[in-house]
Amino acid sequence: MPEPSVAIVGSGVAGAAAAIRLAELGVPVDLYEAVPEPQPIGAGLLLQPTGQQVLQAMGLLDGALALGQRLGRLYGDTPQGRTVLDMSYERLDASYFGLGIQRGALMGLLWQRLQQLGVPWHRGAAVDGFEQDDAGVTLRFARPRPVPARHAALILANGSFSRLRSGMKVRQHARTFPWGAVWTVLPVPPGFELNELRQRFRAARQMLGLMPVGCAQPQGEWGINLFWSLPLTELSHWRDTPGLDGLKRQMAELFPAAAPVVDGLHDASQLREARYADVWMECWHDGRVLAIGDCAHGMSPQLGQGANLALIDAHVLAQQAQTGADWPTVFARYTHHRSAHLRFYSQASRGLTPMFQSDAVVAPWLRDQFFGWGGRLPFIHKQSIATLAGTKTGWLFGRLKL
Ligand SMILES: Cc1cc2nc3c(=O)[nH]c(=O)nc-3n(C[C@H](O)[C@H](O)[C@H](O)COP(=O)(O)OP(=O)(O)OC[C@H]3O[C@@H](n4cnc5c(N)ncnc54)[C@H](O)[C@@H]3O)c2cc1C
């Protein structure tokens, strides 16, 4: 009898990376994906030095560097010209930078590696539920896969809106965030500054982000990811009110210098909608079942950490699997090793997001008064850039070791 494999549900960043890291150790893995033909699409991502380190360990960093755009600085201000954020990676470490990359480019690299490793990737296989016992886990599928599958363990990597997560006997809650965004990738206009992620804010109600993100495939067209924040109440009907022209007018009023990029928007179908959820779990394991990625700790994208955290989850999981312990022990140790880092970023995201996406008045006012000023103090700047770089495991002390 062959050794029963580990099932991974979801082939986004978390699931694909976990499948790769485990397969590299020789662990038999089956990867299940609900979408019949997954497409390499999705918002531009800022890959932090921590996520880059995991890609390096997978042998995928050179490919990502060739497709992505190195970013040295994050700069955000108000229409009145008040600096809110001004962070340079090199002030933390001369070798650090953010990598702006299209999600499609990253997924292309991960999926190619999966195929090289020969990981069975079952597409169009939506997992509907599971039961675990002392010896393994049984997966049930939504039609058209009526036969349940038996596995040694189960890793849930099916995103923030997972309906499988509630099958874990762990205290948890997931709250859809009241704000979302529309985004797209547009061509780079001549003379555009490619070294920085640029943001413009009006209180916490309006936010335009422009991030150079390289190209989706070799020799492709280089792009800029445009991110426009919207409350969920407006996200569902922006095509009617204010419509594409109205939205473009709002963008141009907020940030006139962005006009050459915004001019690339000529059809509402270019803009994709993004909704996110804030996911909290008391721990991420329950016997033979583990949750990773957004399924375990979904958060708003304000801190630019979600894909990085997913990559680190996969890396730490493989480090624990390497010990050869049984799956419940591996998963319990994983929770222990991921705790400080994940708790810090969940708290930071919950604390900071209302300053950037909300109807609040006082929080963004305080942000505008103090962030720019505080950022000029070396200690505060270092803490802010360490937070952005993904290395922090505590509010004052603690640095992630991979
Ligand atoms: C607008 C926006 C900007 C962002 N910017 C950044 C950034 O700059 N930096 C960063 O690091 N992160 C960023 N993120 C976050 C990042 O995209 C996510 O954290 C990351 O993609 C999560 O990956 P995941 O694999 O956990 O989940 P997902 O990407 O959601 O993948 C889940 C997969 O599971 C599949 N699935 C779902 N249910 C089932 C089922 N029942 N059976 C089988 N398969 C199933 C889905 O089809 C999907 O393929 C951003 C997110 C958004 C929305």
Side-chain angles (χ1 to χ4, degrees):
M1 280 280 279
E3 189 189 340
S5 66
V6 174
I8 301 180
V9 180
S11 59
V13 180
I20 292 169
R21 296 308 271 150
L22 292 178
E24 282 169 346
L25 295 177
V27 175
V29 173
D30 277 273
L31 181 60
Y32 295 98
E33 169 56 53
V35 175
E37 285 179 37
Q39 300 297 317
I41 51 170
L45 301 169
L46 182 59
L47 275 185
Q48 306 297 350
T50 45
Q52 295 166 25
Q53 214 177 316
V54 176
L55 287 181
Q56 171 90 62
M58 292 168 143
L60 299 180
L61 184 59
D62 287 346
L65 291 175
L67 294 173
Q69 171 67 49
R70 290 173 191 240
L71 304 173
R73 180 181 185 221
L74 187 158
Y75 184 76
D77 61 2
T78 66
Q80 292 73 33
R82 188 183 278 268
T83 298
V84 177
L85 300 170
D86 187 359
M87 297 192 251
S88 297
Y89 285 95
E90 63 176 19
R91 285 178 61 189
L92 182 65
D93 186 312
S95 67
Y96 277 8
F97 56 89
L99 186 67
I101 189 164
Q102 301 193 28
R103 184 176 181 275
L106 178 64
M107 292 318 304
L109 293 169
L110 292 170
W111 290 343
Q112 202 179 357
R113 181 81 182 118
L114 273 179
Q115 278 159 349
Q116 280 168 0
L117 288 164
V119 173
W121 184 15
H122 312 277
R123 282 154 278 190
V127 178
D128 214 20
F130 64 88
E131 282 90 41
Q132 63 168 315
D133 53 49
D134 290 345
V137 183
T138 305
L139 300 192
R140 279 179 281 107
F141 296 91
R143 282 179 295 168
R145 252 179 175 265
V147 186
R150 183 79 177 154
H151 291 280
L154 168 63
I155 296 167
L156 296 179
N158 63 330
S160 298
F161 298 96
S162 170
R163 276 190 262 152
L164 299 170
R165 183 176 49 225
S166 60
M168 293 175 70
K169 293 188 182 61
V170 166
R171 280 207 307 139
Q172 54 181 280
H173 54 74
R175 181 184 69 110
T176 303
F177 196 72
W179 285 65
V182 286
W183 65 271
T184 187
V185 177
L186 296 169
V188 181
F192 192 86
E193 176 56 72
L194 287 176
N195 180 43
E196 67 182 25
L197 163 54
R198 189 73 172 84
Q199 295 179 325
R200 170 64 59 89
F201 316 102
R202 181 176 281 130
R205 268 204 67 79
Q206 283 190 325
M207 171 178 172
L208 180 68
L210 299 175
M211 178 166 72
V213 285
C215 47
Q217 66 243 344
Q219 277 87 52
E221 191 179 12
W222 284 60
I224 294 186
N225 190 82
L226 175 146
F227 175 102
W228 177 253
S229 164
L230 279 177
L232 286 193
T233 46
E234 292 173 31
L235 190 59
S236 45
H237 62 75
W238 70 267
R239 283 182 175 78
D240 303 321
T241 327
L244 182 65
D245 290 339
L247 219 58
K248 285 175 69 173
R249 245 189 327 273
Q250 291 177 15
M251 292 176 193
E253 277 166 25
L254 178 69
F255 192 11
V261 181
V262 175
D263 277 350
L265 256 181
H266 40 79
D267 192 308
S269 66
Q270 285 172 278
L271 286 172
R272 291 166 185 273
E273 294 167 12
R275 293 170 172 77
Y276 14 96
D278 191 30
V279 178
W280 174 85
M281 298 180 78
E282 188 172 33
C283 63
W284 299 288
H285 69 284
D286 169 25
R288 291 177 176 271
V289 184
L290 180 74
I292 62 170
D294 277 8
C295 174
H297 43 71
M299 58 185 72
S300 95
Q302 289 306 325
L303 282 174
Q305 299 295 327
N308 294 278
L309 295 175
L311 288 167
I312 299 166
D313 288 354
H315 189 71
V316 173
L317 171 63
Q319 284 173 339
Q320 296 313 311
Q322 211 164 10
T323 62
D326 57 25
W327 287 109
T329 307
V330 167
F331 290 170
R333 288 182 186 158
Y334 166 92
T335 282
H336 174 73
H337 283 274
R338 285 303 281 132
S339 214
H341 190 237
L342 289 175
R343 295 288 178 230
F344 172 77
Y345 280 97
S346 296
Q347 287 168 10
S349 170
R350 266 176 226 131
L352 288 172
T353 300
M355 293 192 181
F356 293 91
Q357 285 194 296
S358 72
D359 287 314
V361 177
V362 177
W365 182 82
L366 289 171
R367 174 200 74 189
D368 293 352
Q369 301 306 309
F370 297 111
F371 271 35
W373 169 81
R376 286 194 286 278
L377 304 176
F379 176 76
I380 305 252
H381 185 271
K382 209 165 174 179
Q383 293 292 328
S384 314
I385 193 71
T387 302
L388 179 68
T391 61
K392 280 174 72 69
T393 55
W395 284 97
L396 281 180
F397 306 106
R399 191 183 163 93
L400 182 74
K401 291 186 191 72
L402 285 174

